[in-house]
Amino acid sequence: MFPRALLIWLLMAVLAVLNGVARVSVITPYWGDQAGHLLSTLTGGIILFLTMYLFLPWIGPKSSRRIWQLGFFWLGLTVAFEFLAGHYLFGNPWEKLLADYNLFRGRVWVVILLLQLFGPMLAAKLRKI
């Protein structure tokens, strides 16, 4: 299960980066940073959930326990990617990365993390797996 889950997570990572590129190059210049962040979080969440929904049967979790393991696996990979690639590959300072977790400033990135955790179970329920 986990090799397939890793492949799908890599696909989701590529889709998330493309969503971020669209935010920076198209949305933010016209609507500003906050609107760009909110819209990008919404579109990213939809894209990620559709990917989970489509590929969950192929990944093949056989129990609720395995579905929860999948959610925690994707959550861990996402947090590691966000901080490690965000800092070392994309050059973002730690303060900027941590700022996306500040709900009091309208930063809703945490929604994506919650989706990574709970999305597989929701997709499984919708697919009746």
Side-chain angles (χ1 to χ4, degrees):
M1 176 180 96
F2 286 104
R4 288 181 178 195
L6 179 59
L7 287 174
I8 299 309
W9 181 85
L10 289 170
L11 172 63
M12 289 191 291
V14 169
L15 294 172
V17 168
L18 292 173
N19 185 57
V21 168
R23 180 191 72 234
V24 170
S25 61
V26 177
I27 301 168
T28 301
Y30 293 103
W31 293 335
D33 184 58
Q34 184 59 25
H37 173 72
L38 293 172
L39 185 57
S40 178
T41 301
L42 176 64
T43 58
I46 291 169
I47 291 166
L48 293 177
F49 184 74
L50 286 174
T51 304
M52 291 175 194
Y53 182 84
L54 290 172
F55 287 99
L56 191 64
W58 181 72
I59 294 168
K62 302 292 185 203
S63 66
S64 292
R65 180 174 178 255
R66 297 297 270 176
I67 294 168
W68 282 114
Q69 288 174 342
L70 175 62
F72 279 103
F73 179 63
W74 281 346
L75 174 64
L77 289 172
T78 301
V79 170
F81 180 80
E82 172 71 10
F83 284 100
L84 298 175
H87 182 72
Y88 294 110
L89 186 61
F90 300 120
N92 292 313
W94 297 113
E95 296 80 21
K96 182 180 186 294
L97 295 171
L98 289 170
D100 273 337
Y101 293 84
N102 189 342
L103 291 172
F104 297 109
R105 296 209 172 219
R107 307 307 280 187
V108 293
W109 167 250
V110 71
V111 170
I112 296 298
L113 299 180
L114 292 172
L115 179 63
Q116 290 289 359
L117 178 60
F118 295 108
M121 184 55 76
L122 178 59
K125 288 192 181 296
L126 291 173
R127 291 188 77 91
K128 297 180 175 36
I129 294 177

